Amino acid sequence: MVEAVGPEVTRFAPGDAVSVLLLGTGMSEDGIYADRAVVREDAVLSRPAGMDAPTGAAVWMSYLTAYGALIDVGRARPGDHVLITAASSSVGTAALQIGAIPIAVTRAEAKAEQLVRAGAAHVIATDHDDLADRVKDITGGEGARIVFDSIGGPGLTRLAQLVARDGALIVYGWLDPRPAPLPMNWPLNVHGYGVHHVFQDPDRTRRAHAFITAGLRTGALAPVIDRTFDLSAIADAHRHMEANGQVGKIIVTVRR
C-alpha cells in the first residue's frame, strides 16, 4: 500500500494498492526486507482490484518473466510443446500456465502431482525418467518448439538437442554457474532472456500487463503460493527455499 509519493510521481497516490518489482541489479542492491521501503516509481505496478497482498507479491516478476520469454520472444502458439526446466519454481509454475503444451521438468517425482495441478500437460522427473526419451515420446520425435531454461551450465548442450528444428532455446537463469557451451545443433535460436526485455519498452509493458491481468480475471492464470512466512521468520523462509522442496512462490508478509 502506498503511504506517500515524491513530488514528481504521477502514476500513484497514497492509498493505492501496489506490488514492487526487483529491477536493476537484483537482491544485492534492490532487495527489500522491511515493513516500509522507498522505491522508484518504475519499480511499482498496480495490484488488480480484489487481489490480496500475498497474491500480488506472487504475480508480477514470475508472470512477466514467463510471458516475456514465451510470448513476446518465443511466440508460443497453440499446439507448441514448451519444455520448462526447474518447473517447480515461481517462474516455472507461471510458465506452465502460459506455455501452449507445457512439459514440466523437475528432479523429484514427488512434485509431479503438484505440477499437474499447477498446469503441466506432462511431467518429466529426472530422478526417474530419461529426459531425452520422454521428450521424444511426448513430441512424436520432433522435440519441443521452445525450451525455457533457468539452469544453464554444461547441460545446455543436452537441452539444445531437445529443441525442434528452428525452435528456440530461451535461457533466463544460471542455477549452474559453470560455463555454458554454445550449442551447435543448428538451425537453433538461442536467447539469453531477462525481464528487462519487457520493461525497457513501454508497448511491451502494456501488452504484458494486459495479458496478465486478463488471465488473472478469467482464472486462466492463478499464482501458485507454496508457503507464507512472517518477516520475523525470514531465516526459516530461506531455509525452506534452500531445501528445494517448494512448488511455486514463497511469500514473506509484514505486519502493519
Side-chain angles (χ1 to χ4, degrees):
M1 188 74 69
V2 176
E3 292 190 356
V5 299
E8 297 182 10
V9 173
T10 59
R11 294 170 47 228
F12 302 99
D16 287 351
V18 297
S19 297
V20 177
L21 306 173
L22 278 179
L23 301 176
T25 56
M27 290 292 293
S28 60
E29 292 188 12
D30 292 334
I32 300 168
Y33 281 163
D35 52 10
R36 285 180 172 83
V38 178
V39 296
R40 304 191 312 270
E41 183 180 18
D42 63 358
V44 177
L45 284 175
S46 297
R47 191 195 316 157
M51 178 178 289
D52 61 20
T55 305
V59 169
W60 293 114
M61 287 301 292
S62 302
Y63 282 90
L64 286 169
T65 302
Y67 165 88
L70 299 182
I71 304 299
D72 207 58
V73 173
R75 306 295 184 187
R77 303 180 299 262
D80 286 344
H81 288 96
V82 178
L83 187 72
I84 302 160
T85 67
S88 61
S89 68
S90 59
V91 174
T93 53
L96 293 177
Q97 299 170 11
I98 290 175
I101 303 177
I103 306 169
V105 180
T106 183
R107 286 184 292 180
E109 190 175 12
K111 293 183 178 181
E113 184 178 341
Q114 290 172 280
L115 289 170
V116 169
R117 289 201 302 267
H122 306 274
V123 178
I124 301 174
T126 56
D127 66 357
H128 178 268
D129 300 320
D130 181 89
L131 179 61
D133 286 348
R134 289 281 287 124
V135 171
K136 182 178 180 180
D137 290 343
I138 292 167
T139 65
E142 293 185 2
R145 201 184 76 78
I146 300 173
V147 172
F148 186 44
D149 177 55
S150 65
I151 299 172
L156 206 62
T157 297
R158 185 185 181 204
L159 282 178
Q161 294 169 355
L162 307 178
V163 180
R165 185 176 180 83
D166 272 338
L169 171 60
I170 303 176
V171 185
Y172 72 97
W174 48 89
L175 293 175
D176 185 338
R178 293 175 294 173
L182 175 66
M184 302 296 287
N185 54 310
W186 301 342
L188 172 71
N189 302 294
V190 182
H191 301 270
Y193 177 80
V195 73
H196 298 82
H197 169 86
V198 173
F199 284 104
Q200 287 171 349
D201 184 311
D203 288 337
R204 288 178 184 149
T205 303
R206 283 192 291 271
R207 289 196 301 269
H209 189 272
F211 179 95
I212 294 167
T213 52
L216 294 169
R217 186 169 57 251
T218 64
L221 304 181
V224 178
I225 297 178
D226 177 83
R227 189 170 167 186
T228 300
F229 293 84
D230 186 79
L231 180 59
S232 62
I234 189 64
D236 292 332
H238 277 273
R239 293 187 188 101
H240 180 62
M241 179 173 62
E242 291 163 5
N244 196 36
Q246 83 276 8
V247 173
K249 193 78 167 178
I250 299 171
I251 299 296
V252 177
T253 60
V254 296
R255 302 176 185 177
R256 293 183 58 79

